[in-house]
Structures are given as structure tokens and as C-alpha cells.
Amino acid sequence: MMGHAMKIKAACAALLCVLLVLAGLFWYFRVYTKTPEYALRSIERAFETRDETLFLRYVRLDDVLDMGYDDFMAGTMDTEFGGAHDTSAALADFSKMLKPAFIKMLNDAVHTYLTEGDWPPADAAKDGSDAENILSRIGLRDLSFRETTNLTVDQAARTAVVDVVAHQDEADADFTFQVCLAPSDDGDWQVVSIRNLYDYAAFLGNARRLRVQQYLEETDAIIRRHDQSVSAAQMRLYRVLGAGALGNQTTRDMARQIMEQDVLADWQERREELSAVSVPRTMQSLQQLRIKICDLHIAYAEGYAAWMTDKNAATIRSAETNLRQADVLEGEATFLAQRARRLFFDAEE
């Protein structure tokens, strides 16, 4: 049988174990759960489990959006308009007017992400157009989380700051958000603001300007090269037509050959090259116009070549209709390209 001394030792050991368990529980529930580290882990878990309630316990979303909107818009306006006083004052008033609706839609977008695991649909037919405009504007849809680092806590001020590194696909670069935390009345640490959203807006704006510049330079080079090629082909066509007569089959065969092998082939190559270019979101309308212009010129060249064979007036009328439509769209494309240059580059001058 166990001796008296052994019983005392066993009892002490059991008591020590109980005390250690209680101390561990106390530390976990009364100490660790009231730390910035625990808040950050909880936010990550909320995203993983789509737990909106848990997320809102550790993020003061209304405060984050309220202050974040002001900082982001200030950075956007200074980046795009260079801080011109008259322009900035007018845009600041406009920004204040838009703020409630902007925050409401972004709040709804966060709700959708937390409950469904994805942002609202980008398809306007699914009533996601307004939210998509906002998400695209602030680059949120293109952000992907990397890591959290450099958590610093100021115990005296009861504040904390953590670096949240995310990759911005549109800029094709990482950005480090400085996320601020503070304890609630219940002692839970919460995210209360992101203090460098002004810098993020400038980072995003400059990246977008660079991408637009690259797009315009690349596509302008393609267009200039093919314009020269088509112009040379058209001069050859005019010489053939001037030297012969449309009633002559040899002339018509030569004209068809130039149109098919030179003009038509060149517009098809131009379309392929333009389609291969990486297109910034803000240049999608211009890109679509340019592709449509290629399609219309291709249709014109095909129709003109067919007319050289069938001599049908309806064939050439249809072809010329395509050419007139292309001329109209070329004017619109020139306007969009010029406007993009003014918007994105005049502010730098």
C-alpha cells in the first residue's frame, strides 16, 4: 500500500497539475485572447471559415471604411491631378457627397465576401456593376494576402501596428499595409484603421499610369507599323487601277490579289497583334474599339476582293458600309486615346 508520504506527494502533484491547467486556462482566456496576436489570428480564421460575426468582433469596419475612404481619395486626387488647388477643392466636395454611398456599397461587398467567399459578381447583368466599379477603383479585387509581419505594441498608449503584406495583381507588385489596432471596452483588440491608404492610392495610381503608358506605346507602335504597310498596299492598288480599267479582268485579278494578300492579311495580323497585348482595365473600351475597327476593315477587304470577282453592286455597297463604320470608330478611338493621355500624363507635366 502507498505510504503516507507518497500520498502527500501524489496529492501535491495532482494539485500542481490542476493549478497549471487553471493557470493555462486563465492565461489563454484572460490574457492571450486579449492580445493583438489573438485578434489577428481570429481575423484570419474569420476569412477562412466565412464567419462574419467573428470578423466584426475584431474589426471596427465602419471606422476603417470611414477614415480609409478619406485617405484613399486624398491620395487618388493628388496622384491624378497633382494637388491643383481649384481642382482639389471641387473634387473634395464631390468626394464628400459620394462617401455615404461608397461606404455602403463597400460594406455590402465585404459582407458578400465574408458570407460567400468571393466578391460581388463583376457581371453587370447580375447587379454587381456598382460594387464592381468600386472594387476595381480601389484595386481590392486584385489584392491577395501574403503575410503579417512586424507587430509592434505600445503598452503605454494601448495601441499596436502590424504590417500586412499583400500582392496587387494590377500593379504586379507587393504593398505593405500598416494596420492599426486598439482594445475595445471589453478588452478585445480590434483593427481600427489602416494608416497608409494615401500611400496605397499613390502606389496604385502610379502603377496604373505606367500600365496605360505601356499599353499606349505598344499599341501605337503596332498601329503605326501596320498603317504604313496598308498605305503602301493601297498605293500599289491605286497604281494598278490607274493603269488599267475595272472592266478588264486582268486588272480586277491584280486588284483582288493586292487586297487579299496585302491589305486583308495586314489587318488580320494587326488584329492578332493587338489582341495579344496586355490591356489595363481602364483601356478596355479603347481596346474593344480597336479590335472592332480591325474587324470592319477585314470585312471591307473581303467584300472588295469578292466584288472583283462577282461584280455585284450589292457586294461593294456592303463593303463600303463597313469602311464608313470603321472611319467613324477610328475617330472615337483617337478621342479615347487622346483623353487617356491627358488624364494619365498631363498631371505629370
Side-chain angles (χ1 to χ4, degrees):
M1 295 181 63
M2 183 180 298
H4 182 68
M6 289 296 295
K7 289 181 179 180
I8 293 176
K9 289 181 180 180
C12 289
L15 179 59
L16 180 60
C17 289
V18 170
L19 290 175
L20 288 174
V21 170
L22 292 175
L25 292 173
F26 177 84
W27 175 85
Y28 182 82
F29 289 106
R30 297 299 299 274
V31 179
Y32 178 65
T33 60
K34 305 300 182 182
T35 63
E37 292 89 346
Y38 184 81
L40 294 171
R41 298 293 179 271
S42 297
I43 293 169
E44 290 183 27
R45 189 166 69 254
F47 278 117
E48 293 170 357
T49 60
R50 302 182 188 178
D51 191 336
E52 185 178 20
T53 301
L54 181 63
F55 176 83
L56 294 177
R57 177 178 176 178
Y58 292 99
V59 178
R60 296 182 200 170
L61 186 58
D62 290 339
D63 291 347
V64 172
L65 295 181
D66 183 71
M67 289 183 284
Y69 176 88
D70 295 336
D71 291 344
F72 182 85
M73 292 304 293
T76 298
M77 289 186 288
D78 285 352
T79 301
E80 293 187 359
F81 301 100
H85 178 72
D86 293 340
T87 303
S88 296
L91 288 173
D93 291 339
F94 185 66
S95 174
K96 291 178 182 177
M97 183 179 68
L98 291 179
K99 183 175 181 177
F102 185 103
I103 291 178
K104 171 65 168 59
M105 282 187 283
L106 190 53
N107 219 321
D108 291 343
V110 172
H111 167 75
T112 300
Y113 189 88
L114 286 168
T115 55
E116 300 180 14
D118 203 356
W119 298 112
D123 185 359
K126 297 180 180 179
D127 299 326
S129 56
D130 290 337
E132 169 61 16
N133 288 336
I134 290 175
L135 294 174
S136 298
R137 182 61 181 167
I138 64 179
L140 190 57
R141 191 183 290 279
D142 296 315
L143 281 175
S144 54
F145 172 77
R146 290 284 201 232
E147 61 177 341
T148 56
T149 61
N150 303 326
L151 174 64
T152 58
V153 182
D154 187 335
Q155 294 293 354
R158 300 289 288 161
T159 59
V161 179
V162 64
D163 290 342
V164 177
V165 183
H167 186 76
Q168 221 296 328
D169 290 340
E170 192 175 359
D172 192 24
D174 288 350
F175 184 84
T176 301
F177 294 94
Q178 296 173 344
V179 178
C180 303
L181 299 93
S184 67
D185 293 337
D186 295 331
D188 292 328
W189 283 78
Q190 299 174 314
V191 171
V192 296
S193 66
I194 303 172
R195 69 182 185 187
N196 63 334
L197 285 178
Y198 179 100
D199 296 332
Y200 170 68
F203 158 83
L204 189 58
N206 290 329
R208 285 170 170 167
R209 179 182 288 113
L210 179 60
R211 286 205 64 202
V212 169
Q213 182 178 7
Q214 292 171 338
Y215 168 80
L216 290 174
E217 289 177 351
E218 187 174 357
T219 54
D220 286 351
I222 292 171
I223 291 170
R224 282 195 302 270
R225 187 175 71 255
H226 284 284
D227 279 349
Q228 292 173 356
S229 178
V230 167
S231 179
Q234 288 175 335
M235 290 300 298
R236 291 194 297 274
L237 177 64
Y238 296 152
R239 285 196 295 269
V240 167
L241 295 177
L246 279 177
N248 184 287
Q249 189 59 46
T250 300
T251 299
R252 296 177 73 89
D253 289 343
M254 293 175 64
R256 186 185 69 252
Q257 184 178 20
I258 292 173
M259 188 61 70
E260 289 178 339
Q261 296 182 5
D262 297 333
V263 177
L264 174 59
D266 196 270
W267 278 102
Q268 290 172 331
E269 290 174 5
R270 181 192 308 222
R271 191 188 193 285
E272 291 176 1
E273 291 178 28
L274 288 174
S275 297
V277 173
S278 175
V279 186
R281 187 176 285 111
T282 52
M283 294 291 99
Q284 290 291 343
S285 295
L286 176 58
Q287 176 74 355
Q288 291 169 5
L289 266 180
R290 286 172 163 174
I291 296 300
K292 180 62 176 177
I293 289 167
C294 290
D295 290 337
L296 289 168
H297 275 286
I298 289 170
Y300 167 73
E302 290 174 339
Y304 189 96
W307 178 56
M308 291 292 105
T309 300
D310 66 20
K311 303 179 184 180
N312 191 324
T315 302
I316 191 60
R317 282 199 300 269
S318 177
E320 289 176 342
T321 296
N322 289 322
L323 185 61
R324 286 193 296 270
Q325 291 177 359
D327 289 340
V328 172
L329 294 186
E330 282 169 352
E332 295 181 15
T334 299
F335 169 76
L336 288 180
Q338 291 174 343
R339 187 178 68 174
R341 291 185 180 92
R342 290 195 302 270
L343 288 175
F344 285 93
F345 308 124
D346 285 357
E348 295 182 326
E349 300 175 356

